[in-house]
Each structure stands twice: as structure tokens, then as C-alpha cells.
Amino acid sequence: LIRSIDYTERVLADYGRWLDRHAAPDAVVAAYDVGAIGYHGRRAVLDLVGLNSSEVIPLRRDPRDGLSADAIAAFRPDYLVTMQDVPLAAYDRILPRYRVVRSATVAAYRFTPANLTSPPHTYQVSLLEIEWPAPESPSPRR
């Protein structure tokens, strides 16, 4: 429970507050854990798991796909909070250009016993600002 609270308060709430201060009011944020991001960020949040954004579900070919690559490509969010257990390098193949605006190391907390005696696994969770290429304009008809 402590690790879960740490992740929510120290990381996600911090990222949300950063978005509230720096992101355009109409910016769309894609995330896998949406509550604290939406609350503190006060921005539209695309739930890449699909619980709050059911439009994502048809784009998730494999429910174990931590990237949600098709949904990210289809909705082109301005910001992305990376999935805990997916390394940042995995996003290189699906994002055109991005910059890391926040990053934190978090302890794994889901499905790990509270009385864990060895150090928990840790993950990097980053807030990325994505630079999408401008949509191509249609060729003039002849």
C-alpha cells in the first residue's frame, strides 16, 4: 500500500500538477493510470487501458500490449505517461519525436506482497511531450 501511495502522490500527482502549470488547456494526455493525472492535471485524459475511454478498446489487439500503440497513433495525444513495466526505449518505435519532461523511479506495487523482504523491482515512469508531424494536406485535384 505504501508503494502504491508513493506512486500516486509522488509521481502521478506531480505529473498532473506539472501539466496543469505547463500544458495548453486543450492538451490531451494519454495515461495508463488516469485518476491523479486527470484530477491534478485538469486536462482531457485518454485512458489507454480503456476503462474510462472505451474508444481505446477496439484498438487494443492484444490486451497484454502495454504500449497501446494503435490507440496512441490513432488519438495522437500531446502528452503520454509511460506504462510502469514498459521501458522508455519501447516507445521509440511508436512515437515520432518526444521529449521527457518528468521522470521518476517507482517501486512495483501491484501483485507484490506487502511483507516483501528483498528490494522490490523498480520501473521508470516518464511524462513525455510528443511532437506529432503536421497532417499531410490532400493533393489538389486536377
Side-chain angles (χ1 to χ4, degrees):
L1 180 61
I2 299 296
R3 291 189 302 265
S4 175
I5 292 169
D6 181 58
Y7 170 56
T8 302
E9 292 300 319
R10 183 179 57 84
V11 178
L12 298 179
D14 174 64
Y15 291 5
R17 288 188 288 271
W18 186 93
L19 289 161
D20 187 39
R21 288 189 308 273
H22 300 285
D26 61 345
V28 174
V29 181
Y32 302 90
D33 290 310
V34 300
I37 294 290
Y39 180 80
H40 292 284
R42 302 185 330 171
R43 300 295 181 276
V45 178
L46 178 68
D47 177 6
L48 292 172
V49 174
L51 297 174
N52 296 314
S53 304
S54 59
E55 64 272 25
V56 167
I57 294 171
L59 299 172
R60 299 215 47 198
R61 289 179 271 151
D62 181 351
R64 295 164 298 176
D65 171 23
L67 287 175
S68 301
D70 291 342
I72 292 169
F75 293 101
R76 297 169 59 123
D78 302 294
Y79 295 89
L80 170 68
V81 179
T82 62
M83 182 69 155
Q84 272 193 65
D85 55 353
V86 176
L88 186 59
Y91 291 92
D92 290 345
R93 70 176 174 82
I94 65 168
L95 297 176
R97 289 180 56 155
Y98 64 87
R99 71 181 183 104
V100 177
V101 294
R102 308 292 279 177
S103 191
T105 301
V106 298
Y109 67 91
R110 292 185 177 141
F111 312 114
T112 56
N115 61 353
L116 190 65
T117 54
S118 62
H121 295 291
T122 59
Y123 301 108
Q124 219 39 44
V125 176
S126 300
L127 172 61
L128 310 179
E129 182 176 27
I130 305 169
E131 185 182 322
W132 295 97
E136 293 183 24
S137 35
S139 302
R141 293 187 180 191
R142 294 182 181 198

